[in-house]
Structure formats: C-alpha cells, structure tokens
Amino acid sequence: MTETKNTTPSAGNAPAPGTRGLLPLPVAAARALLLAGGIATAASTFLAWTWTSAFPGDLTVTGYPGGLQWLTFTAGIITTLFALASYGIRGLGWLIPARNNAPLFLSALGGFGVTWYTVLAISVDLGGLANLEPGGFIAAIASLLPVLGALSLPEKTTGGTKEHFKAYITKAEQIPAPQDLAPWIERAVITVVTIIGLGVFTYGIDTEYGELFIGYLFVVVFSIWALHTAGLLDRFSRLVAHHRSFTLAMGFAAAIAFPFTQTDDHYANIGVNILIFGTVALGLNIVVGLAGLLDLGYVAFLGVGAYTAALVSGSEFSTFSGVHFPFWAAALTGAAASLVFGILIGAPTLRLRGDYLAIVTLGFGEIFRIAVNNMDGDSGPDITNGPNGIPAIPDLKLLGFDLGQPHDIAGFTLGRFANYYLLMVLIMAIVVLVYTRAADSRIGRSWIAIREDETAATAMGINGFRVKLIAFALGAALAGLAGTVSAHVTYSVVPTPYQFAGSTPPNSAFLLAAVVLGGMGTVAGPILGAALLYLLPEKLVFLQDKSLLAFGIALILLMRFRPEGIIANRRRQLEFHETGQLDVPDQTTLTDTPGTVTKAGA
C-alpha cells in the first residue's frame, strides 16, 4: 500500500531538505530543462554534423538525419516522451507506472552516450574537432541538457552522492496494479511489442559498420533499462504470464518473419547461427539451469551430432561415403549418438558434485577434440579425417526443396541461409516444447530440487543419480540435434571449434556464458544470451581477438548488478534479492501532487 507524506515539493517550489537532486536547480527548471533538452537533441539531428562524407552514414545533410543521427533522434524522442509523462500529460501516465525519476535519467543518458560517441568518433576517425560542423557541437550540448535536468530532479535520500545515484537507476518497488484490460487488448499489446522487438533486432543485425552498431547498443541498452526502471517491463511480464501460449506463438511468428525482412543472405547466416547456438545453450540450460550441474565440456555433444551427421549424409570424404541418410534419419542419428555419449560420460561421473564434476566434464570436452583430431588413419582409426575434418557435406533436401538453392515465396527470395534459418526455427520450436514440458513435469521439479539441495532432495526420496543422468542425456541429445544442422550449414566439420574456450563460437565457455548472461532456468534467457554473444563479436570486429576478455568483464558486471541474468527466473530473482527487499529507502514521485512517496529498492 502506498505511503503518503506531505514532504514532497510541488514543481514550482524548492525541494524539502533531503529531497534535492545532485544539481541545485528548482524542480520546475529541472523538468523544463529535461523536456527542452530532449526536443533539442531530436531536432539537432536535422543539422549537418560534419562537412565530409568520409565518416560512414553521411552526416553532411541538413534537413534529413542519416546514420547515427537516427539513433540520436530516437533517443531524443524517448527522452521527450518520458519528460512529458513526468508533467502528468493526459494519456502518457502509463509510461512511468513506477512513478520514479530513474527512466528520465537513463533515457537522457542513452541520448547523451550515442551523441557524444558520434562526435568523438568523427573527431578521431577524421583527425580532429575541425571536422565537426556547428550542428555537431549543437547536438553535443543539446544531449547534455536532459542529463543535467534529470540529475536536478529530487530524490528522497539522505546518504549522499552514492545513494543519490543508486536512486536514479533503480525502480520503485511498489508499482500500482494495472487497470484490467479486455483479453483482446492485452493480446494486441503483446503483438505490438513483438513487432517492435522484431524491428529493433532487424535494425541491429542490419547495421553495416561498427560505429552504427555501437550507437545502436547505447540506445537499446539504456532504453530497455529505462523501461525496466519505469515498471513497464514488469507490467508486460504480467501480460505474458496471462497469455503465455499466445506470446510464444507471436515469438515464433516474429522469428519466421525475420528472413523476409532481409535483402542480404549474410544476415540470414547470422540468424541461423544464433538459432543453432541458442538451441545448444537451451540444452545446456537443462543441465546447468534446472539440474544445477556445471558442465564445462558441453560443446563436445554438439560436435558428436555434427560429426555423426557428416558421416551419414553422403559426403564423398566420409568413411561411410556410400551412406546417405535423409535429413530426418541423420538428425535422429546425431541426436541418438549424442544421447549415448551423454549416458556413457554421465554414468560414471555424475556421482561427483561441484568442482569435481566440472573438472571431469572439462576433460571430456578436451578428450573429444583430441580424439577426432587424431582419427585420421595415422594416429588412430580412419574415421574423422583428422584435422582436415569432413568437407563437402551436401545440402539438405526436404519435401522436394533443395535448401541450398534460393526459393521465391510470396514475392520474397529466400537464399540458402534463409532456408536453413527456417529449418532451425522449426527445430527450435521442438526444443522449446521439449524443454518446457520437461521443466514443468515431475522430473523437472526433481531437477530443481536437486539444484537447490541435493542432500535434502535425496532424503525426500528422489533418486539423485538417475535424475541427473536424465538431465545430462536430454541436454546432450538436444545439442546433437542442433549439431546435425550445423554440419550442413557450414558444409564441413573440423575439430578446431569444439574446445573449451576460443575467439569464435561455438565453444563451451561461450555456451556457458550465454546461459548465465541470459538467465538460467528460463526459455528466452539462453537464446538471448547466445544472440548477444554471437552478434557482438560479429559486428564489433575489434572484439574478436578479445572476446574472452569482453565476456569476462560482462559476466563480472552481471554478477555485480544482476546476478539472476538479463531475463530472470522468478525463483532465482527472489533468492538473489530477498535480503535487499527488507531495507528500502523512500523515493519521491514524478507527479506534481504533493505528498506521494513510494518505496524504492535496489
């Protein structure tokens, strides 16, 4: 229940002691500065920022934004909308149900970040500030104004600068219950959000140069953070919980629509690899997220499936070159081979716990890579063709369609990678169905019990060894299934990628980082984590040789600020934050109505 106090100042009055912002501006002036800065930031994109088109995106045009200017324009519009909502403009109150100032600060910070990054990139790439037109300086100043305005808004705190800043980036815990909506309106909201999400993802994957992608990250990260602190993501989560099946259907509809938005098959190639690694990460999520088993050699099961498919799919370099299974048979064979290996490895090792199990699985991953590297007929039996791998894997043919050839559907041309992408969407749907059914079943509850406390679960009658072995085998089978498609997409399989850590995916460290980053124990988390960790090195070329360093830094920051992952499992979220809910400071609201105070927590 919301607590009310008569200490919150109105917009035109000086704030009461303990409610001042970091900067000593009156509340009315701070809000005006925030609104004017948001409008000025968006308007500055219609000016030329540089005189030469040497900087990518052509920022030399006056009257029409280009390149990174579109991102600054978007950030300015978002800041303006939040600023108008803080004034209590009719019809915009739903933007900040948490009634706090955090989304204003974060949205302003996103516009400031992308604008100043662009200005600095122009100066560095072109050789100095002399390459900036007056519009560039105007944009830099305009993007600073809403940040200053947001920092001047009052926050109820008495702890100094650190507590002030914490209040600016956290959301109010007590969010008013949303108004009941008709089911068709709730489904319409989910549909609109899905379309927006598809558009945002498509824009990010279509970025043509690194500077544009970095600016895209500034806007997306801070905008999503602002929506979270505003309480909108919490409200959307409630809608998803009420219409889970519809949301899942819309997600797959958006995934199917993705290749139809592409004109370059290269981006479809990125999409199919994201789905492959997302599928493998979802299988690992069964082992790590549900059963709580730390597996550091999981990529080996992907390799088992890929090599099995390569051996039986008709490659002339295969030891069984006369064997050519149809895809469904090759997929089942690859999944079955991985399942068998999962049982063979799990049976003698799953009685171990913690670090000991991790060491054994790490050893298995390295043994697999070394073994396939030596099965060349000289160092071992002639099965995998050693370090040369098995090339010339033919394209798949399904229902009369050759997936290696372009096809025209409803006026759209789908290339080779787009065909495989749609195949992976189908396989992903099967994997998600298996995962959700298993997680909600009796065996799934047993996995969670084992994860929480194996000793207590065993004392309650759960056969811990059998339950863990099922998780290990099922996760291995899902990885093997994805491996069969991976072998055909890449035309060949070689031992190099199947290692614990490396500069390019797939590897076990990549997959484990995807699960932890995205959110253990969830469906969308590992898929999102795999998408981020694959897309970032792909778009940011300078990170490819430093990907492990970047992943490590990202995980450290995640463990510090959001240990439950980007998409949190509710149970794990409560575990990580249950003590933080006991001591929550007061926080003033955005409305001008005196006397309303909500509780805010980290």
Side-chain angles (χ1 to χ4, degrees):
M1 184 173 181
T2 303
E3 179 184 1
T4 60
K5 298 179 182 179
N6 292 324
T7 58
T8 304
S10 61
N13 300 327
T19 62
R20 288 183 178 275
L22 291 178
L23 301 179
L25 286 179
V27 176
R31 290 182 180 167
L33 186 63
L34 183 69
L35 178 59
I39 296 173
T41 300
S44 68
T45 61
F46 291 89
L47 301 174
W49 288 10
T50 182
W51 61 271
T52 173
S53 59
F55 188 81
D58 193 5
L59 310 185
T60 64
V61 180
T62 298
Y64 185 80
L68 282 158
Q69 288 177 323
W70 279 114
L71 296 171
T72 296
F73 176 80
T74 302
I77 293 298
I78 294 174
T79 301
T80 301
L81 290 174
F82 277 125
L84 291 173
S86 73
Y87 274 100
I89 300 297
R90 186 176 179 85
L92 292 179
W94 60 271
L95 278 174
I96 314 180
R99 301 299 179 195
N100 62 342
N101 291 323
L104 282 75
F105 173 70
L106 292 170
S107 60
L109 202 59
F112 173 81
V114 67
T115 305
W116 279 66
Y117 166 75
T118 305
V119 170
L120 293 176
I122 292 173
S123 304
V124 172
D125 291 355
L126 302 183
L129 292 174
N131 294 283
L132 287 172
E133 288 287 297
F137 293 102
I138 292 174
I141 296 173
S143 66
L144 180 61
L145 297 180
V147 176
L148 298 178
L151 290 176
S152 302
L153 290 175
E155 293 289 347
K156 183 69 175 179
T157 180
T158 58
T161 302
K162 180 179 178 182
E163 286 72 15
H164 265 297
F165 182 75
K166 183 178 180 181
Y168 282 124
I169 61 175
T170 56
K171 67 180 177 66
E173 292 296 336
Q174 296 182 353
I175 302 174
Q179 182 180 1
D180 292 335
L181 300 174
W184 71 269
I185 296 180
E186 294 182 342
R187 293 190 180 96
V189 171
I190 293 173
T191 302
V192 171
V193 172
T194 302
I195 294 173
I196 294 174
L198 175 62
V200 171
F201 177 76
T202 300
Y203 183 91
I205 211 171
D206 284 349
T207 50
E208 298 176 352
Y209 47 94
E211 292 87 350
L212 184 61
F213 186 74
I214 293 176
Y216 164 83
L217 290 180
F218 270 113
V219 176
V220 169
V221 169
F222 281 101
S223 296
I224 293 178
W225 196 356
L227 293 176
H228 169 67
T229 57
L232 285 177
L233 294 187
D234 287 346
R235 288 196 166 179
F236 183 71
S237 297
R238 293 190 181 99
L239 294 183
V240 171
H242 294 161
H243 306 278
R244 192 176 302 275
S245 298
F246 179 79
T247 304
L248 190 60
M250 289 304 302
F252 278 108
I256 293 172
F258 169 74
F260 295 95
T261 66
Q262 304 302 303
T263 56
D264 189 343
D265 205 37
H266 170 68
Y267 299 132
N269 181 27
I270 296 176
V272 70
N273 280 288
I274 288 174
L275 286 184
I276 289 173
F277 301 136
T279 302
V280 181
L282 198 57
L284 179 60
N285 197 28
I286 294 177
V287 179
V288 176
L290 294 182
L293 307 174
L294 183 56
D295 189 346
L296 299 181
Y298 188 76
V299 75
F301 298 120
L302 175 68
V304 170
Y307 266 98
T308 301
L311 288 171
V312 300
S313 292
S315 171
E316 59 181 310
F317 295 94
S318 169
T319 304
F320 312 108
S321 56
V323 178
H324 191 173
F325 285 3
F327 171 69
W328 64 268
L332 290 178
T333 304
S338 295
L339 185 146
V340 170
F341 269 87
I343 294 175
L344 292 178
I345 299 302
T349 61
L350 286 178
R351 299 186 187 279
L352 301 174
R353 298 187 187 182
D355 298 339
Y356 301 101
L357 178 61
I359 292 172
V360 170
T361 54
L362 175 62
F364 164 66
E366 290 302 300
I367 289 171
F368 169 79
R369 182 179 60 83
I370 294 172
V372 296
N373 194 59
N374 289 328
M375 292 181 181
D376 57 357
D378 294 328
S379 303
D382 185 12
I383 298 177
T384 64
N385 205 23
N388 295 323
I390 304 175
I393 300 174
D395 282 307
L396 296 174
K397 293 183 179 179
L398 293 175
L399 303 176
F401 287 94
D402 186 349
L403 298 188
Q405 300 298 321
H407 295 92
D408 292 328
I409 299 178
F412 295 91
T413 300
L414 299 181
R416 176 179 184 270
F417 292 117
N419 295 331
Y420 279 104
Y421 173 88
L422 293 177
L423 174 63
M424 273 308 304
V425 170
L426 176 62
I427 292 178
M428 174 68 77
I430 296 173
V431 171
V432 169
L433 178 64
V434 171
Y435 178 90
T436 54
R437 297 294 292 176
D440 293 337
S441 67
R442 180 178 179 181
I443 192 69
R445 293 193 295 272
S446 298
W447 288 335
I448 294 174
I450 290 291
R451 182 193 70 194
E452 298 299 322
D453 192 327
E454 184 173 351
T455 302
T458 303
M460 295 300 294
I462 295 176
N463 188 330
F465 172 75
R466 183 176 66 86
V467 167
K468 291 191 291 184
L469 186 60
I470 292 174
F472 215 72
L474 181 58
L478 297 182
L481 181 61
T484 61
V485 180
S486 176
H488 289 87
V489 170
T490 58
Y491 283 124
S492 64
V493 289
V494 292
T496 308
Y498 306 109
Q499 53 187 335
F500 170 69
S503 59
T504 57
N507 54 70
S508 292
F510 169 91
L511 295 170
L512 186 60
V515 174
V516 176
L517 177 66
M520 292 190 292
T522 64
V523 175
I527 300 174
L528 176 61
L532 290 175
L533 296 183
Y534 185 86
L535 198 58
L536 291 177
E538 177 72 22
K539 291 295 182 180
L540 305 178
V541 180
F542 67 90
L543 274 181
Q544 289 183 350
D545 295 334
K546 306 176 183 66
S547 58
L548 290 179
L549 174 63
F551 292 170
I553 294 174
L555 290 175
I556 291 173
L557 294 175
L558 188 77
M559 292 299 101
R560 172 61 183 85
F561 296 104
R562 193 171 175 83
E564 67 271 23
I566 298 176
I567 300 178
N569 176 275
R570 185 60 177 167
R571 181 192 298 270
R572 296 185 64 83
Q573 191 174 30
L574 292 175
E575 290 173 357
F576 282 116
H577 296 290
E578 59 183 356
T579 57
Q581 308 299 324
L582 299 178
D583 183 18
V584 289
D586 292 339
Q587 180 176 350
T588 56
T589 65
L590 283 170
T591 59
D592 291 337
T593 304
T596 304
V597 175
T598 60
K599 297 290 185 179

